Amino acid sequence: LARQGAWRIISCEPVPGTLRYLKANLDLNKDVCATRVVLIETAAWSHVRQFRCAPPFHPDNLGGTSLVEDARGEILGVPLDAYRPLFGQQVSLIKIDAQGSDFAALQGLAETIAQDHPVIVFEWEAELASAHGHTYEMVQAWLEDRGYQILPWPSHRSNYLARWRG
């Protein structure tokens, strides 16, 4: 996105191993990323919570770590609306791939979504989401209540595009 001219990118990553790779990637691309990418080392969630990493659901997928609520966990989850001053004047795109926590991440962006009506791309992994008590029907109703239409992503069956009908 930075190489394509995005003015500001807020990247949120809570998993330590993945965070190291992300920081290395940002460093390798610092010519364009240094002034455009803001890294937040936290989990996107609907309210403040502590988490720990669950074992990866596939050993070859380093980004496939989900979070488990744990009051003694080392990972802090927060609503990303708390970081709104970093977002700039208007958010135009939200991309969420949160290993089953996608609905909670969206809920933590409720103010931003209501104010800016950005395009939202999200992944839905029912097995991982069920651990948090979330269903696709819940996220669908939540987005539709806010004026969004949800469309399946043509090339990937578990990804969706939500656009404001306004």
Side-chain angles (χ1 to χ4, degrees):
L1 290 173
R3 290 215 182 273
Q4 297 303 314
W7 175 78
R8 165 108 12 111
I9 300 155
I10 308 298
S11 180
C12 182
E13 180 55 57
V15 179
T18 308
L19 182 62
R20 284 191 295 278
Y21 283 110
L22 178 56
K23 285 180 177 180
N25 193 349
L26 291 173
D27 191 47
L28 288 171
N29 294 284
K30 63 184 168 198
D31 60 315
V32 69
C33 293
T35 60
R36 297 175 188 225
V37 179
V38 176
L39 179 58
I40 302 172
E41 299 179 25
T42 192
W45 199 253
S46 56
H47 50 283
V48 176
R49 277 284 189 264
Q50 293 295 127
F51 296 93
R52 63 176 167 78
C53 290
F57 57 87
H58 191 283
D60 296 331
N61 183 357
L62 297 177
T65 303
S66 60
L67 301 178
V68 176
E69 284 193 47
D70 184 340
R72 295 172 292 162
E74 298 177 355
I75 296 172
L76 180 64
V78 299
L80 293 184
D81 276 337
Y83 294 94
R84 183 127 180 100
L86 297 175
F87 297 171
Q89 293 180 352
Q90 183 174 4
V91 174
S92 57
L93 173 69
I94 294 173
K95 166 64 171 94
I96 299 175
D97 182 354
Q99 306 311 120
S101 301
D102 304 75
F103 185 36
L106 283 170
Q107 290 175 309
L109 284 161
E111 292 175 23
T112 299
I113 291 168
Q115 181 175 330
D116 297 339
H117 310 293
V119 170
I120 301 169
V121 177
F122 67 97
E123 183 176 43
W124 190 257
E125 296 168 302
E127 293 173 22
L128 296 174
S130 66
H132 301 292
H134 300 152
T135 65
Y136 176 80
E137 292 74 22
M138 292 167 71
V139 73
Q140 181 180 23
W142 191 86
L143 284 168
E144 287 176 353
D145 286 348
R146 283 152 183 79
Y148 277 81
Q149 173 187 20
I150 302 173
L151 305 166
W153 196 264
S155 61
H156 199 289
R157 63 183 170 92
S158 62
N159 285 342
Y160 296 88
L161 172 79
R163 63 180 183 196
W164 192 57
R165 290 180 288 211

